Amino acid sequence: MSKTLTEIAQQLKDANKKVQLIYAFNGTGKTRLSRSFKELISPKAEGEEAQSSDLADKKVLYYSAFTEDLFYWDNDLGQDAEPKLVIQPNAFTRWVLEEQGQDQSITATFQRYTSDKLTPHFSTDFSSVSFSFERGNNEHEPNIKISKGEESNFIWSVFNALLEQVIAELNIAEAENRSTDDFNNLEYVFIDDPVSSLDENHLIELAVNMASLIKSSQSGLKFIVTTHSPLFYNVLFNELNGKACYMLEQLEDGSFTLNEKYGDSNKSFSYHLHLLQTIEQAIADNKIERYHFTLLRNLYEKTAGFLGYPKWSELLPDDKQLYYSRIINFTSHSTLSNEAMAVPTPAEQATVKLLTDHLKSRHAFWQQQGA
């Protein structure tokens, strides 16, 4: 039955589970769902500012695209200014950086998911951060502008430092024995897609670390995690016990469904069908975007695994290296922000259709529900 995002938020609240894991494709409404859930749990009073200045007032702590909006680049290069990432004052950034001094923990987490040669440098008042890079010849390159993916990783590292502190404090059963009462009202943590630009090894590492952190929580704190990454979903699915799993879909009329999803994406046969339907719809509508190459690659990977092929590229048409290179170019993670690829050209869009048709005609087993 179709629902509004507010009704789906109510469904998540009523489930009363410690962990709820949601898979959804990009553009489905994951970030909007996080906002709807926040408004349901902690509605703003008339005239109240959107961001409370006090952590103690919060019932929901959430990480989403809105969290990333708290950070922006100061690029006034015309005045010989050095590029720096400005940190807007906010309850959680003030607590983590100013009150708790977690800058070293943030740096360690950030370098774990990027490179130990890439180092953030906080200003003395924590109002901004700059970055330097150590090259292989010991050359020091200061004040660089990092990629959008690295920026997202840095912001997640700040949030992760807060999450570690929240769980540690709430694990102390007696509230009077905690070092702070700032988290006593907190009920939920909503994490929306923290994996936007990680390679597979670091993505798995982040998922394992997140699952371990969630499992370490002994209080009544509840977690909702959404993702568009099948691999991230699979790792969390296998690492977390007692979770509820769903697939969020948006219907043509703008309404939504949140259906229970049994098994990880490798075991859920309808997941493969949904991937195929999504790609075919984009082809039919002539609206192929870069992420459809990722979906196509995932289809090939899952099909190869099912058939026992050691490499998914072995399923490609005759000129395997050519098609392999085209897919890799669109699904690999760029290291520099200016390397971001444009919208696929008509020829590249035609490649998606050709490879989809090839997979269907050569390996039609996965279209049959009884297979």
Side-chain angles (χ1 to χ4, degrees), residues 59-99:
K59 294 182 179 179
V60 182
L61 188 66
Y62 71 100
Y63 177 91
S64 71
F66 293 101
T67 310
E68 297 190 3
D69 289 342
L70 299 173
F71 301 76
Y72 64 92
W73 284 97
D74 180 356
N75 294 317
D76 190 9
L77 301 180
Q79 300 296 323
D80 293 326
E82 298 170 344
K84 59 185 179 182
L85 192 62
V86 177
I87 305 173
Q88 297 189 62
N90 174 268
F92 90 80
T93 57
R94 278 196 298 266
W95 196 89
V96 170
L97 294 169
E98 297 177 26
E99 295 185 31

Side-chain angles (χ1 to χ4, degrees), residues 119-360:
T119 304
H121 305 276
F122 292 90
S123 63
T124 54
D125 61 356
F126 296 109
S127 63
S128 66
V129 58
S130 60
F131 298 85
S132 67
F133 189 79
E134 297 289 344
R135 299 197 175 276
N137 57 3
N138 294 323
E139 179 184 350
H140 179 77
E141 185 176 358
N143 304 313
I144 65 171
K145 184 173 182 180
I146 59 177
S147 72
K148 182 62 178 176
E150 291 162 341
E151 180 185 335
S152 295
N153 291 339
F154 173 77
I155 297 168
W156 167 255
S157 299
V158 177
F159 183 85
N160 184 77
L162 172 62
L163 187 57
E164 289 178 347
Q165 293 290 314
V166 166
I167 291 175
E169 289 293 336
L170 293 183
N171 278 349
I172 301 173
E174 302 296 331
E176 60 270 19
N177 293 332
R178 297 169 185 165
S179 65
T180 177
D181 58 4
D182 283 348
F183 310 127
N184 290 358
N185 292 324
L186 198 61
E187 300 175 8
Y188 291 92
V189 176
F190 197 119
I191 301 173
D192 173 33
D193 247 348
V195 295
S196 58
S197 295
L198 288 175
D199 61 48
E200 290 189 351
N201 289 334
H202 288 129
L203 183 150
I204 292 171
E205 183 181 8
L206 189 149
V208 170
N209 291 341
M210 181 188 294
S212 177
L213 191 57
I214 290 173
K215 287 189 289 187
S216 73
S217 177
Q218 301 168 14
S219 67
L221 194 62
K222 297 179 177 63
F223 300 84
I224 299 172
V225 183
T226 67
T227 183
H228 75 284
S229 166
L231 179 58
F232 189 72
Y233 178 94
N234 287 352
V235 176
L236 287 178
F237 175 89
N238 289 300
E239 290 288 323
L240 293 169
N241 300 317
K243 69 277 179 183
C245 300
Y246 308 98
M247 187 164 189
L248 176 68
E249 299 181 69
Q250 184 171 8
L251 306 180
E252 290 184 0
D253 62 1
S255 61
F256 299 83
T257 61
L258 186 71
N259 297 315
E260 286 190 67
K261 189 174 187 299
Y262 300 100
D264 63 18
S265 66
N266 290 305
K267 298 176 182 176
S268 180
F269 203 75
S270 62
Y271 164 79
H272 298 76
L273 295 177
H274 193 89
L275 271 181
L276 174 63
Q277 292 166 2
T278 300
I279 296 172
E280 288 184 322
Q281 189 63 53
I283 293 171
D285 296 341
N286 196 27
K287 292 182 178 179
I288 295 174
E289 298 182 32
R290 183 176 180 179
Y291 75 90
H292 288 105
F293 280 82
T294 301
L295 303 186
L296 182 63
R297 175 178 174 174
N298 190 251
L299 266 179
Y300 268 82
E301 289 172 342
K302 298 294 187 264
T303 305
F306 184 88
L307 294 176
Y309 285 88
K311 297 180 181 179
W312 62 267
S313 58
E314 294 182 29
L315 301 182
L316 292 168
D318 291 338
D319 197 346
K320 290 179 171 53
Q321 186 57 46
L322 171 64
Y323 292 115
Y324 177 79
S325 297
R326 288 183 180 178
I327 293 178
I328 291 298
N329 284 342
F330 271 89
T331 58
S332 61
H333 297 294
S334 174
T335 57
L336 297 174
S337 58
N338 62 4
E339 291 178 352
M341 212 168 280
V343 174
T345 65
E348 290 160 343
Q349 294 182 39
T351 297
V352 172
K353 183 178 188 308
L354 185 151
L355 294 180
T356 302
D357 290 343
H358 173 77
L359 194 61
K360 288 168 59 180

